[in-house]
Amino acid sequence: MFRFICVVIFLITFLIVTIPVLAAEWLIGKFNPKARDISSMYIVRWGFRVVLKLAGVQATVIGEENVPDGPALFIGNHRSYFDILLTYSHCKRPMGFIAKKEMKRYLTLSLWMRRIYCLFLDREDPKAGLKTILTAVDYIKQGISIFVFPEGTRNDGEELSMLPFKDGALKIATKTSCPVIPVSMNNMAQIFENHLPKIKKTHVVIEYGKPIYPDELDKDTKRHIGDYVENIIRETIHKNATLIENQ
């Protein structure tokens, strides 16, 4: 429980103390949006790294050389609330996440999420969902990467299981021809979800796969690109399971 208490105290303190920072970031953005974006990225990345440190997360990171210099669509399996913290703490350029609309109710948190280009998806409204996808397409064209969990919700099944991918999110890549980066994460639920409310020191593995360029795929594979990426991530998490078992 000690780690859980430390994480909660830090998050509450961060969200309160950074309210004036948000105001300053807004002012900076009026004159230099690029400087605001970089500043926001570093602040949020620092906060996430502190949380991971307090939680005792030890990460083995594989394939960072596969992350391109330009904007990309990152696709990952979703096992834990810590998935976003882990992936964003390693980002090197502006990147937003597609999150569920319920996150908007947490005012300061949602303001920071918007500041780093997160989008809020209404899974019950197809028209709103399409609008979110088109906004993500526009972000990619502006040079901002997007991270999506196509399972649609956090998977609380067996460790190596995955929920079927929803194809809608992959349209971001097919409409922009940006590279797709498969992101495979192992042992994430062991940090928190497997033993709520305790947070335990945990070794996790994250692997960035080789870029997939939609325009280089054959027509059938491109038509079912969601299944294609899903299979790559499934194979990778099974491969990397041995890195956890050997600890």
Side-chain angles (χ1 to χ4, degrees):
M1 284 296 292
F2 178 72
R3 293 182 187 278
F4 175 78
I5 293 170
C6 288
V7 167
V8 170
I9 290 174
F10 174 79
L11 287 174
I12 292 174
T13 303
F14 179 88
L15 292 175
I16 293 174
V17 170
T18 57
I19 291 174
V21 178
L22 281 167
E25 292 277 280
W26 175 82
L27 185 60
I28 292 171
K30 289 292 184 179
F31 301 96
N32 193 334
K34 185 176 180 180
R36 177 204 59 200
D37 290 349
I38 297 299
S39 174
S40 296
M41 181 186 73
Y42 278 113
I43 291 170
V44 173
R45 191 171 69 177
W46 172 82
F48 284 174
R49 285 179 173 177
V50 171
V51 172
L52 292 169
K53 185 73 173 179
L54 292 172
V57 177
Q58 298 176 336
T60 295
V61 183
I62 303 170
E64 277 195 282
E65 68 278 3
N66 291 324
V67 178
D69 293 331
L73 177 65
F74 292 82
I75 298 293
N77 59 310
H78 195 16
R79 295 284 301 171
S80 171
Y81 295 116
F82 281 82
D83 294 344
I84 292 176
L85 278 70
L86 179 65
T87 51
Y88 199 85
S89 66
H90 287 92
C91 76
K92 299 177 181 178
R93 58 175 297 111
M95 178 173 70
F97 288 81
I98 294 184
K100 57 185 180 181
K101 68 171 185 178
E102 288 78 9
M103 297 300 295
K104 291 194 291 187
R105 70 181 68 168
Y106 307 109
L107 182 58
T108 309
L109 176 60
S110 66
L111 286 173
W112 272 115
M113 292 176 72
R114 287 187 174 94
R115 191 57 52 81
I116 60 171
Y117 292 99
C118 286
L119 297 169
F120 300 95
L121 178 65
D122 185 347
R123 291 173 289 188
E124 305 300 323
D125 186 343
K127 289 185 178 179
L130 177 59
K131 184 177 180 180
T132 299
I133 296 299
L134 292 176
T135 302
V137 167
D138 186 53
Y139 282 176
I140 291 284
K141 292 178 179 178
Q142 294 178 43
I144 300 158
S145 295
I146 296 292
F147 199 114
V148 180
F149 299 105
E151 290 169 287
T153 188
R154 184 172 53 83
N155 173 21
D156 58 3
E158 295 296 325
E159 168 59 24
L160 299 180
S161 68
M162 288 174 58
L163 300 175
F165 276 17
K166 294 175 170 51
D167 286 331
L170 275 300
K171 292 179 181 177
I172 298 169
T174 56
K175 287 181 178 293
T176 61
S177 299
C178 75
V180 177
I181 309 298
V183 183
S184 310
M185 289 173 277
N186 286 72
N187 212 33
M188 294 299 298
Q190 189 59 26
I191 301 171
F192 182 54
E193 283 76 9
N194 286 352
H195 36 71
L196 298 171
K198 295 181 180 179
I199 292 177
K200 291 187 177 181
K201 184 177 180 179
T202 306
H203 172 230
V204 301
V205 178
I206 175 172
E207 178 166 346
Y208 295 90
K210 293 182 178 180
I212 301 165
Y213 294 90
D215 290 346
E216 295 180 1
L217 301 174
D218 61 69
K219 289 185 179 179
D220 187 61
T221 303
K222 185 176 181 179
R223 188 179 303 114
H224 302 96
I225 189 172
D227 293 338
Y228 181 67
V229 179
E230 179 184 346
N231 288 332
I232 290 174
I233 293 176
R234 179 178 289 106
E235 291 173 2
T236 305
I237 62 174
H238 276 81
K239 171 182 69 72
N240 290 340
T242 57
L243 299 177
I244 301 296
E245 294 166 358
N246 293 334
Q247 290 295 305

